[in-house]
């Protein structure tokens, strides 16, 4: 029997505890704590233990306080339908309750799953090296800039980012570069896309990296990415492209437009809307292999000459290289990468391309329907869009968004008279409802 | 025996890759495309399998994997404890799956939980303010060091060094360097603790912070912590607590009471959230009052009991360390775990963790150079290669400890059983240690022989990196 009111997960019967104390040679567990009197604490946090049942009720009541809104939101955090098989297989305890694969002989399963995740990123980006996860798209971008700082053929210290960039992403980038001599500057956009002319004026041989997104944070599809890649290459700067796992299936292949590093959100597959929790994708060229942050799974052989997988190139990592490591990342998002891989494999190539095409069609259809309403103009940017687009409204945007909430819908406010709307396979069935709600509140 | 069950060998290979089963290349663009061809790629090639085939593939992979639900996972310093099943269920509540840009008034449940977790963690750590944003322990270290840097800069104090004991986690060094600091390494004294004289010599006007793990990485409590804190504070530096070993102290000592100004919590280590084969984790950061205004933004506060909870940006915030609000699902699990245990459960977890480590230590035949220890111990395999001993332990059906680290112990086997192992389970672990201790060098060097894979050549994996299906294809082309 476990002692009453202790940890429900400590299995000790009283007799066992006594036998163990005897073996150690002490009378009491407290004798094992070598803590000076001056810093002893009395154990009273005032946290009342609860039974499983009570806690379930409590948390279920707590979450019920969240309004049940249909979200038409994106801007870097997307909700695609996650098939049941992803939850079911990823929650197998052998995956979920495992640790980093420091003993490859008994962790071949997870290593192979991560190797397959890396491989699918390689297929989608066209770049030969992908790591097995960063925290999210923001930290992946920031790590790319730090990679640019380490790459010898890049001499400069300037990082150029688009004018339209999520503030959270920019904030993380600034912080990750705070300990370097690198500086971040923005370049202007032209009707939602990179203003290539203005960018070419800004780029010089002090430019270490140019960052562009496809689709942009406003959902527009970039039309001159190859020109951006060329600008970067002419100036010996790295071209870093931000994208996501679904967009990669349809939009121009990063390798073909000259991307040196691809970062972005891989949690668009495999993760439900999770208050911003993500999965950073990171892929690059072979020549930067030893500058890559994070974990890599490689192929080797075991003593019986059979193919086997292992974490590799660990001399880049913090536990070996310490302050000279390529990154401080240790715990990453491996389980989320597993989920993304299962989701990708479930979709298969046709399913993924179909999903991506729907992101373009559904956005165009919804924009057209909103544009037809009096007092709305959509999309604001005269471009192709992927999932999301900006809407100009005659009335103040915040007031409209507030009224839409009362009607059961959530959208972004991105300016005084600008809203942003995002449609995916998870909410497309409610598009009629959203349009009706707009009609109601305008 | 689980290994036999996991041995899915087909045609002399293990579970085939998805790409070896079936892939299809589909064309992209064309007449039916919603985009002109110059904005699309040409084709996509990916695995193309039925759902039943995928279910079998990933089920087999799962069976070829060790986990805490398979057996003991005594990785010192990594702290692998049982992950309660119900925390998974509550984290999966669809009402908790909200977009990060939702208005505060529409996500009061989410904000209340986050606020509650901030409060719990503050109490447990003896801290005044907590941010939940860092998505892992190392990210928490980085955030904490950014806070220290912002604090010094706000005081017009130009300090460029962070002092770190030689035995500390590698992440400490990397995080301090990322923030732009020079790292000063501090040697341990003969007892395995911080050498206070060396510390006194090292601190000065350049010292921004001392990063410390307590109990340290060989399980020893830094008894001189009050003197250490005074030394660092007198020099104008801040004291940073690495929360990796907090499980050993729950309810018995709090970093804040010991004089620490900043700390991070590793929720998978201390609060039983699953590590998922490498993450996600969460690394909340706690600070004392005077540093609260520098914490990353946003944080959660209660505006009033009537108007509820809101996000806010601390006045002189260092900004963002995660694109949104951190690893939400993990934070829910941590909240549920803490609430399940309460004061008594947290205190008991700590007691049993320390009891288990000491009992296991008493049963292991290898020497343990430093003590008395708390939740983990660094045994040495002496003349025998610790890595080989570890591989042999796999044959005896257990996961081995962390090996060859920390470096202050030669051939270290850093062992941390945690509170969740029973006496029987610890006896089995000790038996595996002791059986390996009795095996000859040749057997050890040849181990493991009973596992899914035999000894894997990690050197050739690094010399000839093959990191994707494409790399494998290229390799076979070369052979031909």
């Amino acid at each position: 029997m476990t002692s009453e009111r202790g940890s429900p997960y400590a299995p000790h019967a009283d007799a066992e505890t006594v036998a163990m104390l005897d073996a150690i040679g002490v009378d009491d567990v407290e004798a094992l704590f070598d803590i000076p009197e001056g810093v002893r604490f009395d154990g009273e946090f005032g946290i009342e233990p609860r039974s499983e049942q009570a806690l379930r009720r409590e948390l279920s009541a707590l979450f019920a306080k969240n309004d049940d809104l249909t979200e038409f939101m994106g801007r870097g955090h997307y909700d695609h339908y996650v098939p049941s098989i992803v939850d079911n297989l990823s929650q197998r305890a052998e995956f979920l309750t495992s640790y980093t694969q420091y003993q490859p002989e008994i962790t071949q399963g997870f290593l192979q799953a991560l190797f397959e995740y890396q491989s699918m990123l390689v297929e989608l980006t066209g770049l030969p090296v992908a790591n097995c996860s960063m925290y999210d798209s923001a930290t992946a971008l920031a790590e790319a800039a730090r990679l640019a700082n380490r790459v010898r053929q890049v001499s400069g210290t300037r990082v150029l980012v688009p004018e339209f960039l999520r503030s959270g992403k920019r904030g993380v980038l600034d912080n990750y570069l705070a300990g370097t001599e690198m500086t971040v500057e923005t370049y202007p956009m032209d009707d939602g896309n990179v203003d290539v002319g203005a960018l070419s004026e800004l780029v010089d041989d002090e430019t270490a990296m140019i960052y562009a997104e496809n689709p942009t944070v406003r959902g527009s599809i970039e039309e001159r990415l190859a020109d951006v890649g060329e600008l970067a290459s002419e100036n010996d700067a790295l071209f870093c492209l931000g994208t996501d796992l679904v967009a990669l299936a349809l939009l121009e292949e990063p390798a073909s437009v000259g991307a040196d590093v691809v970062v972005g959100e891989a949690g668009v597959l495999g993760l439900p809307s999770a208050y911003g929790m993500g999965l950073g994708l990171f892929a690059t060229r072979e020549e930067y292999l030893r500058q890559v942050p994070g974990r890599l799974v490689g192929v080797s052989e075991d003593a019986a000459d059979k193919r086997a997988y292992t974490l590799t190139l660990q001399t880049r990592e913090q536990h070996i290289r310490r302050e000279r490591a390529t990154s401080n990342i240790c715990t990453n998002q491996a389980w989320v990468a597993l989920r993304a891989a299962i989701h990708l494999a479930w979709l298969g190539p046709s399913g993924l391309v179909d999903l991506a095409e729907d992101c373009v069609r559904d956005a165009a259809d919804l924009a057209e329907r909103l544009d037809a309403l009096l007092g709305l103009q959509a999309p604001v940017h005269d471009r192709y869009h992927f999932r999301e687009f900006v809407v100009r409204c005659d009335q103040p945007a915040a007031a409209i968004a507030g009224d839409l909430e009362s009607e059961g819908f959530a959208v972004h406010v991105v300016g005084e008279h600008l809203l942003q709307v995002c449609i995916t396979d998870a909410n497309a069935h409610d598009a009629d409802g959203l349009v009706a709600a707009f009609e109601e509140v305008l | 025996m689980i290994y036999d069950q996991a041995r899915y060998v087909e045609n002399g290979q293990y579970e085939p890759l998805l790409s070896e089963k079936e892939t299809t290349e589909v064309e992209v663009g064309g007449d039916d495309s919603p985009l002109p061809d110059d904005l699309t790629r040409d084709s996509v090639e990916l695995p193309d399998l039925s759902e039943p085939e995928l279910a079998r593939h990933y089920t087999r992979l799962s069976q070829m994997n060790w986990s805490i639900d398979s057996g003991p996972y005594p990785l010192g310093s990594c702290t692998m404890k049982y992950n309660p099943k119900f925390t998974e269920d509550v984290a999966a509540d669809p009402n908790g799956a909200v977009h990060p840009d939702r208005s505060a008034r529409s996500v009061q449940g989410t904000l209340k939980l986050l606020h509650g977790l901030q409060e719990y963690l503050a109490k447990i750590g003896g801290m005044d303010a907590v941010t939940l944003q860092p998505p892992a322990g190392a990210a928490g270290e980085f955030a904490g060091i950014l806070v220290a840097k912002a604090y010094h800069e706000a005081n017009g104090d130009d300090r460029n060094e962070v002092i770190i004991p030689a035995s500390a986690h590698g992440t400490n060094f990397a995080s301090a360097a990322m923030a732009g600091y020079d790292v000063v390494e501090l040697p341990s004294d003969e007892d395995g603790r911080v050498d206070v004289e060396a510390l006194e010599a090292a601190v000065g006007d350049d010292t921004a912070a001392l990063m410390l793990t307590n109990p340290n990485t060989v399980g020893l409590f830094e008894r001189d912590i009050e003197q250490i804190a005074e030394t660092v504070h007198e020099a104008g530096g801040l004291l940073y607590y690495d929360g990796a070993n907090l499980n050993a102290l729950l309810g018995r000592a709090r970093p804040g009471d010991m004089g620490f100004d900043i700390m991070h919590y590793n929720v998978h280590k201390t609060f039983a959230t699953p590590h998922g084969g490498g993450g996600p984790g969460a690394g909340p950061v706690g600070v004392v009052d005077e540093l609260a205004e520098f914490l990353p933004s946003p944080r959660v506060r209660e505006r009033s009991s009537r108007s509820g909870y809101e996000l806010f940006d601390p006045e002189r915030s260092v900004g963002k360390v995660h694109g949104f609000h951190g690893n939400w699902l993990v934070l829910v699990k941590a909240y549920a775990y803490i609430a399940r245990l309460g004061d008594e459960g947290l205190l008991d977890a700590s007691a049993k963790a320390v009891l288990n480590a000491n009992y296991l230590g008493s049963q292991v035949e290898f020497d343990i150079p430093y003590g008395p220890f708390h939740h983990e111990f660094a045994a040495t395999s002496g003349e025998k290669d610790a890595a080989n001993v570890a591989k042999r332990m796999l044959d005896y059906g257990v996961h081995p400890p962390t090996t060859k680290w920390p470096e202050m112990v030669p051939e270290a086997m850093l062992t941390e059983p945690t509170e969740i192992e029973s006496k029987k389970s610890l006896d089995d672990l000790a038996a595996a240690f002791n059986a390996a201790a009795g095996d000859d060098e040749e057997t050890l060097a040849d181990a493991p022989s009973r596992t899914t894979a035999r000894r894997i050549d990690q050197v050739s994996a690094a010399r000839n990196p093959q990191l994707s299906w494409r790399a494998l294809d290229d390799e076979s082309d070369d052979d031909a």
Side-chain angles (χ1 to χ4, degrees):
Chain A
M1 283 299 295
T2 52
S3 58
E4 80 287 12
R5 297 181 71 76
S7 165
Y9 312 115
H12 306 64
D14 288 346
E16 282 178 349
T17 303
V18 171
M20 289 161 73
L21 288 170
D22 277 352
I24 300 165
V26 294
D27 295 333
D28 183 359
V29 176
E30 296 307 323
L32 300 170
F33 284 88
D34 183 23
I35 301 173
E37 267 317 304
V39 297
R40 281 259 181 183
F41 180 69
D42 64 7
E44 293 188 16
F45 302 126
I47 303 171
E48 191 63 35
R50 279 87 110 185
S51 69
E52 261 196 45
Q53 279 198 56
L55 200 47
R56 273 174 185 271
R57 284 195 300 269
E58 178 185 327
L59 286 168
S60 162
L62 186 69
F63 286 131
K65 289 179 194 291
N66 285 343
D67 294 344
D68 184 15
L69 302 181
T70 304
E71 297 169 345
F72 281 82
M73 303 184 108
R75 291 181 61 79
H77 186 76
Y78 302 101
D79 188 15
H80 283 285
Y81 173 73
V82 179
S84 298
I85 190 173
V86 171
D87 278 332
N88 186 282
L89 293 174
S90 69
Q91 292 206 343
R92 287 184 64 89
E94 301 91 329
F95 285 134
L96 184 66
T97 78
S98 62
Y99 197 71
T100 305
Q101 301 76 26
Y102 293 136
Q103 295 291 344
E105 290 84 1
I106 57 167
T107 47
Q108 284 297 296
F110 215 128
L111 286 163
Q112 182 172 335
L114 292 174
F115 178 79
E116 295 192 322
Y117 167 77
Q118 289 175 183
S119 300
M120 288 191 251
L121 291 191
V122 166
E123 295 301 324
L124 288 170
T125 60
L127 293 173
V129 176
N131 77 11
C132 62
S133 79
M134 306 262 78
Y135 305 127
D136 69 348
S137 58
T139 52
L141 164 61
E143 293 276 14
R146 290 185 63 89
L147 179 144
N149 191 34
R150 291 190 296 272
V151 172
R152 250 169 295 156
Q153 50 270 57
V154 176
S155 59
T157 56
R158 300 170 69 207
V159 174
L160 302 181
V161 301
E163 177 192 347
F164 297 153
L165 184 68
R166 258 203 84 101
S167 59
K169 215 175 257 185
R170 172 64 193 265
V172 173
L173 178 62
D174 287 341
N175 265 333
Y176 270 58
L177 294 179
T180 71
E181 71 285 15
M182 309 278 270
T183 54
V184 184
E185 298 163 54
T186 54
Y187 60 80
M189 308 289 277
D190 171 20
D191 197 19
N193 274 15
V194 174
D195 183 337
V196 179
L199 178 62
S200 68
E201 298 285 310
L202 279 171
V203 180
D204 60 13
D205 57 8
E206 283 301 303
T207 306
M209 184 173 109
I210 301 173
Y211 176 63
E213 295 184 335
N214 193 31
T216 68
V217 67
R218 292 185 157 197
S220 64
I221 294 171
E222 283 290 351
E223 295 175 15
R224 291 180 63 189
L225 278 180
D227 294 341
V228 179
E230 212 163 291
L231 268 181
S233 137
E234 282 167 2
N235 290 277
D236 289 329
L238 284 192
F239 176 26
C240 177
L241 181 66
T243 184
D244 70 71
L245 224 42
V246 179
L248 279 168
L250 179 64
L251 307 185
E252 288 177 279
E253 190 182 73
S256 76
V257 294
D260 300 291
V261 187
V262 176
V263 298
E265 197 47 58
V268 293
L269 294 180
L271 260 187
S273 204
Y275 208 52
M277 176 164 167
L279 168 62
L281 81 84
F282 193 102
T284 189
R285 296 184 183 284
E286 186 100 47
E287 57 195 292
Y288 307 132
L289 174 59
R290 279 161 212 282
Q291 297 300 330
V292 168
R295 298 239 145 86
L296 295 168
V297 177
V299 170
S300 186
E301 287 186 340
D302 75 358
D305 298 331
K306 286 173 185 150
R307 185 203 289 159
Y309 308 91
T310 180
L311 294 177
T312 194
L313 297 167
Q314 296 190 58
T315 49
R316 300 164 298 112
E317 292 190 61
Q318 38 69 33
H319 62 285
I320 309 265
R321 188 65 65 85
R322 303 209 302 187
E323 69 267 33
R324 290 182 303 282
T326 51
S327 164
N328 72 336
I329 193 169
C330 181
T331 291
N332 51 46
Q333 305 285 108
W335 183 71
V336 191
L338 167 75
R339 291 179 63 100
I342 298 173
H343 194 165
L344 259 175
W346 181 81
L347 285 165
S350 299
L352 184 64
V353 172
D354 288 349
L355 180 64
E357 289 187 342
D358 285 347
C359 289
V360 177
R361 285 195 194 100
D362 291 350
D365 289 350
L366 183 58
E368 195 179 314
R369 294 178 69 184
L370 294 180
D371 194 51
L373 301 182
L374 200 64
L376 294 187
Q377 184 214 328
V380 164
H381 301 300
D382 184 20
R383 305 281 181 189
Y384 290 102
H385 285 79
F386 196 87
R387 288 196 199 97
E388 52 193 333
F389 53 89
V390 178
V391 183
R392 177 169 289 120
C393 31
D394 295 346
Q395 298 169 40
I400 294 181
D403 291 344
L404 285 173
E405 257 189 38
S406 315
E407 300 290 321
F409 293 92
V411 299
H412 300 273
V413 177
V414 294
E416 205 175 328
H417 287 274
L418 298 177
L419 294 171
Q420 190 166 331
V421 175
C422 176
I423 184 165
T424 69
D425 58 334
N427 61 15
H429 61 282
D430 265 335
D432 291 349
L434 179 73
V435 174
F438 262 107
E439 282 179 316
E440 189 68 31
V441 307
L442 284 172
Chain B
M1 183 83 186
I2 192 151
Y3 294 130
D4 295 326
Q5 185 193 346
R7 202 188 274 261
Y8 281 99
V9 181
E10 291 175 11
N11 305 323
Q13 291 293 347
Y14 304 115
E15 175 69 9
L17 291 164
L18 285 173
S19 64
E20 291 164 340
K21 293 178 171 177
E22 191 179 335
T23 60
T24 304
E25 183 170 5
V26 301
E27 282 186 26
V28 177
D31 293 345
D32 295 336
S33 175
L35 290 178
D37 281 354
D38 60 344
L39 296 183
T40 67
R41 62 192 295 146
D42 297 334
S43 68
V44 171
E45 185 172 351
L46 283 175
D48 197 3
L49 302 164
S50 69
E51 179 165 325
E53 288 170 306
L54 283 179
R56 286 184 180 164
H57 179 72
Y58 284 104
T59 299
R60 285 183 178 188
L61 291 185
S62 77
Q63 289 168 338
M64 294 159 65
N65 212 58
W66 188 261
S67 70
I68 193 69
D69 279 9
S70 316
Y73 221 134
L75 276 176
S77 227
C78 297
T79 314
M80 275 292 282
K81 54 164 97 176
Y82 176 72
N83 311 131
K85 303 304 174 195
F86 95 104
T87 61
E88 293 305 308
D89 290 346
V90 295
D93 191 321
N95 289 324
V98 294
H99 192 282
D101 287 345
R102 284 270 295 262
S103 69
R105 77 171 170 214
S106 75
V107 292
Q108 284 296 300
T110 294
L111 295 180
K112 189 174 179 187
L113 181 136
L114 293 174
H115 186 261
L117 183 57
Q118 284 179 185
E119 302 263 288
Y120 280 168
L121 293 176
K123 285 176 190 168
I124 291 168
M127 292 283 151
D128 296 313
V130 171
T131 177
L132 302 172
Q133 196 182 125
E141 291 174 16
F142 179 59
I145 292 299
L146 288 177
V147 167
K149 194 175 183 182
Y151 167 80
H152 289 307
E153 279 172 7
N155 291 340
D157 207 351
D158 187 22
R159 292 167 179 265
N160 64 342
E161 287 178 358
V162 169
I163 304 175
I164 305 174
S167 64
H169 303 105
T171 50
N172 287 185
F173 299 85
S175 300
M178 260 175 77
Y181 283 109
D182 297 331
V183 173
V184 177
E185 192 172 308
L186 196 63
S188 304
D189 68 11
E190 283 176 9
D191 297 333
R193 295 182 171 79
V194 167
D195 186 328
V196 179
E197 276 178 32
L199 174 64
E200 278 164 358
V203 296
D205 294 344
D206 290 331
T207 307
L210 167 68
M211 297 179 86
L212 209 57
T213 311
N214 194 16
N216 67 20
T217 45
V218 286
L220 310 182
F221 192 88
E222 297 287 354
R223 292 181 200 133
D224 301 320
I225 187 62
E226 291 160 291
Q227 192 186 342
I228 291 169
E230 200 181 313
T231 304
V232 173
H233 288 152
E234 267 180 13
L238 295 169
L239 198 56
Y240 182 97
Y241 183 84
D242 176 330
N245 295 340
L246 185 65
N247 198 45
L249 292 187
L250 290 171
R252 289 186 172 74
R254 304 193 301 175
D257 302 337
M258 294 182 221
F260 287 92
D261 305 291
I262 312 172
M263 70 176 290
H264 78 262
Y265 308 75
N266 301 77
V267 301
H268 84 268
K269 294 182 182 184
T270 313
F271 305 118
T273 63
H275 197 251
V285 170
V287 295
V288 295
D289 251 339
E290 15 173 17
L291 299 176
E293 61 183 326
F294 300 105
L295 282 174
S297 64
R299 294 184 58 229
V300 185
R301 69 182 166 203
E302 189 173 11
R303 209 161 30 168
S304 73
S305 54
R306 207 159 47 102
S307 47
Y309 298 87
E310 64 180 4
L311 293 168
F312 74 104
D313 295 336
E315 206 173 328
R316 292 198 273 185
S317 171
V318 297
K320 299 287 290 177
V321 293
H322 185 267
F324 293 98
H325 309 307
N327 279 340
W328 157 254
L329 292 171
V330 183
L331 298 169
V332 177
K333 296 173 196 179
Y335 178 93
Y337 178 81
I338 295 170
R340 177 85 180 89
L341 266 65
D343 287 7
E344 295 89 345
L346 294 169
L347 206 59
D348 188 52
S350 204
K352 300 288 167 54
V354 173
L355 172 67
N356 278 3
N358 277 274
Y359 175 70
L360 181 59
S362 75
Q363 303 299 303
V364 167
E365 285 166 16
F366 290 122
D367 284 342
I368 300 170
Y370 298 109
F373 52 82
H374 281 81
H375 62 298
E376 65 186 351
F377 59 85
T380 172
S381 55
E383 300 292 301
K384 291 180 167 162
D385 185 308
N388 287 348
V389 173
K391 294 297 181 201
R392 185 62 178 153
M393 287 178 74
L394 299 175
D395 281 336
Y396 296 118
V398 299
H399 194 289
T402 300
T403 56
K404 307 227 177 199
W405 188 84
E407 282 158 12
M408 59 200 272
V409 176
E411 299 305 323
M413 305 194 71
L414 186 67
T415 313
E416 181 178 6
T418 82
E419 67 273 16
I420 69 141
E421 302 303 335
S422 65
K423 177 172 179 297
K424 165 78 170 65
S425 166
L426 296 169
D427 288 339
D428 291 348
L429 256 177
F433 264 102
N434 296 337
D439 284 328
D440 59 58
E441 290 287 1
E442 201 181 333
T443 308
L444 295 180
D446 197 37
S449 58
R450 300 175 190 163
T451 46
T452 318
R454 299 283 301 273
R455 179 79 67 104
I456 293 167
D457 183 355
Q458 290 178 289
V459 174
S460 80
R463 281 207 188 124
N464 175 28
Q466 295 169 281
L467 308 171
S468 70
W469 297 328
R470 283 195 188 186
L472 285 177
D473 287 349
D474 293 349
E475 195 75 6
S476 51
D477 292 348
D478 291 349
D479 290 347

